[in-house]
Amino acid sequence: MSYRAPGPLHPLILDDVRGAQKMLSGVARMTAMEGSRYLSSLVGAPVHLKCENLQRTGSFKLRGAYVRIAGLRPEQRAAGVVAASAGNHAQGVALASSLLGVHATVFMPLGAPLPKVAATREYGAEVRLHGHVVDETLAAAEEYAHETGAVFIHPFDHPDIIAGQGTVGLEILEQCPEVRTIVVGIGGGGLAAGIGLAVKSLRPDVKVIGVQADGAAAYPPSLAAGHPVSIESPATMADGIKVGRPGDVPFGIVREYVDEVRTVSEDALSSALLLCLERAKLVVEPAGVSPVAALLSEPESFQGPVVAVLSGGNVDPLVLQRILRHGMAAGGRYLSLRLRVADRPGVLANLLGVLSEADANVLDVGHVRTDPRLGLTEVEVELHLETKGPEHCAEVESALREAGYVVTAG
């Protein structure tokens, strides 16, 4: 689905983004722009990947955090800063504060992945674990700011944050001046707002498309209503864009400068993550691959050359393992089958022989003998197979049927 986004004017201007770019010189690196032959073949035009997953701290968040903290008055710096985040913003604030000599306290949820907690500490922040969901963590950080006078660094709802993120847009125009479409993930809206402002101010002909996960898409109803609205219980594997309400500041900019917002499924996100890993040799987190998911979902709808912003690469290895399995299943690389066979010696060996001839790799085999629906001499065999795609799945099932097996469930 896509939603048009008309909109009003706002105080942030291109010079703010240019100023942020000067401030970030020597701090944030100009990340690589990599071509993707596979995506280009799908779209029918050149597709480039803007690799912010290779940015310092593993995401674009350093840009906005540094600009925000660098703009504080001396007495504000002396009071320190505080942030709440489950990952990328935490690390961006931690490193930016360390570089600027400012004490940072970062509140993270109790269930935050250990690698992200460790990285935030290593970048120099004091980490406090509080709350089981981000809203509880955010409330604790705001209370800490009220009690201590520390400056709260919001992850997206501040002009300085947006100006910093907008430097990604300036780099895209420098690295790919022929670009016609930029695709970027949207959570609270800071990155999309910054890129939209920077790009549209210089190149109004370039289309900017935002992408949200189906289960955490607060922008479509907000754009329809003309103001930020909240959605209840956002749910998606893409934690980086799982935001229940657009930020007040970025919303106006997104409405002005982002041409449309699309949504993508969880299957599309996991398939996109797998594609980036296999084809581009890039580790990208689920939120970071949302633009690629949009390209996979409707490749013919994008005018090229296209730049897809890979916004981050911080993904917990255990989560990555689950997502890869999900992506392989969505891509027809896994096949689960149940068959009823005679309960006698040699039957399972014959079954596995058929699968071997069909070139299917057996990952797991399960036997069920106690189901009351089974005959006295029957056993149900549950198979989990690794396959080569949807066509191979069909070939495996066909081979089993030709051998006389009855598939009772998928």
Side-chain angles (χ1 to χ4, degrees):
M1 302 176 70
S2 66
Y3 303 81
R4 188 97 188 132
L9 297 175
H10 50 81
L12 203 64
I13 61 174
L14 176 62
D15 282 348
D16 295 316
V17 183
R18 284 176 166 157
Q21 188 175 44
K22 292 180 182 178
M23 190 179 296
L24 288 167
S25 177
V27 176
R29 58 174 63 108
M30 178 182 284
T31 50
M33 185 86 76
E34 299 288 345
S36 171
R37 285 180 292 180
Y38 180 76
L39 290 173
S40 297
S41 68
L42 290 182
V43 174
V47 174
H48 305 279
L49 306 175
K50 176 62 172 168
C51 300
E52 281 297 288
N53 59 311
L54 303 180
Q55 184 57 261
R56 296 177 70 178
T57 75
S59 88
F60 69 96
K61 289 288 189 177
L62 171 65
R63 298 173 184 264
Y66 187 91
V67 173
R68 173 77 173 100
I69 297 170
L72 296 177
R73 300 187 303 275
E75 63 272 20
Q76 291 177 310
R77 292 196 188 193
V81 299
V82 59
S85 168
N88 290 347
H89 181 59
Q91 293 174 66
V93 169
L95 179 57
S97 300
S98 178
L99 293 172
L100 291 164
V102 176
H103 181 266
T105 303
V106 177
F107 284 78
M108 303 183 76
L110 290 167
L114 292 179
K116 294 184 178 182
V117 174
T120 303
R121 286 190 172 121
E122 288 169 7
Y123 285 128
E126 175 188 348
V127 174
R128 299 193 180 190
L129 300 177
H130 184 93
H132 294 280
V133 296
V134 174
D135 286 345
E136 295 173 355
T137 308
L138 179 63
E142 290 175 335
E143 182 180 355
Y144 177 88
H146 178 73
E147 292 176 350
T148 65
V151 179
F152 180 67
I153 306 299
H154 199 283
F156 50 81
D157 207 8
H158 193 280
D160 289 347
I161 295 287
I162 296 169
Q165 322 304 30
T167 59
V168 177
L170 296 181
E171 290 181 12
I172 290 172
L173 294 183
E174 180 179 343
Q175 293 171 295
C176 185
E178 68 277 14
V179 63
R180 298 302 303 274
T181 305
I182 297 173
V183 193
V184 56
I186 297 187
L191 179 61
I195 289 176
L197 170 65
V199 170
K200 289 286 192 176
S201 297
L202 294 168
R203 290 277 306 280
D205 60 301
V206 175
K207 190 171 186 178
V208 179
I209 297 176
V211 182
Q212 293 203 292
D214 284 337
Y219 262 91
S222 298
L223 292 170
H227 58 82
V229 298
S230 299
I231 59 170
E232 292 187 8
S233 304
T236 174
M237 68 175 74
D239 287 344
I241 54 175
K242 189 170 70 173
V243 178
R245 182 185 184 278
D248 292 324
V249 178
F251 176 79
I253 302 173
V254 168
R255 189 168 61 169
E256 171 99 15
Y257 290 112
V258 174
D259 293 279
E260 60 177 299
V261 175
R262 301 186 181 190
T263 61
V264 294
S265 68
E266 298 297 285
D267 281 352
L269 287 168
S270 55
S271 295
L273 190 149
L274 183 61
L275 183 144
C276 285
L277 190 61
E278 285 191 322
R279 299 291 186 121
K281 315 306 177 191
L282 293 169
V283 176
V284 190
E285 63 191 87
V289 297
S290 56
V292 176
L295 291 171
L296 291 176
S297 300
E298 296 182 89
E300 71 287 344
S301 67
F302 293 88
Q303 183 179 12
V306 178
V307 172
V309 181
L310 306 182
S311 57
N314 293 317
V315 56
D316 180 54
L318 295 176
V319 175
L320 178 62
Q321 183 181 44
R322 293 197 297 269
I323 294 171
L324 289 177
R325 285 188 174 275
H326 188 272
M328 291 181 73
R333 303 275 292 279
Y334 282 140
L335 178 62
S336 295
L337 297 171
R338 291 181 183 177
L339 308 95
R340 291 184 184 181
V341 299
D343 189 11
R344 63 173 183 266
V347 171
L348 182 58
N350 292 336
L351 172 60
L352 296 179
V354 173
L355 294 173
S356 176
E357 289 294 324
D359 202 22
N361 185 34
V362 179
L363 299 175
D364 192 24
V365 179
H367 285 77
V368 177
R369 287 189 169 87
T370 57
D371 193 319
R373 293 170 296 180
L374 293 172
L376 188 62
T377 59
E378 282 185 321
V379 62
E380 184 175 75
V381 178
E382 183 177 357
L383 297 166
H384 297 281
L385 311 173
E386 184 180 7
T387 54
K388 301 174 183 177
E391 291 183 1
H392 190 212
C393 288
E395 291 172 4
V396 171
E397 292 192 54
S398 177
L400 289 170
R401 291 191 176 95
E402 289 177 5
Y405 295 100
V406 177
V407 179
T408 60

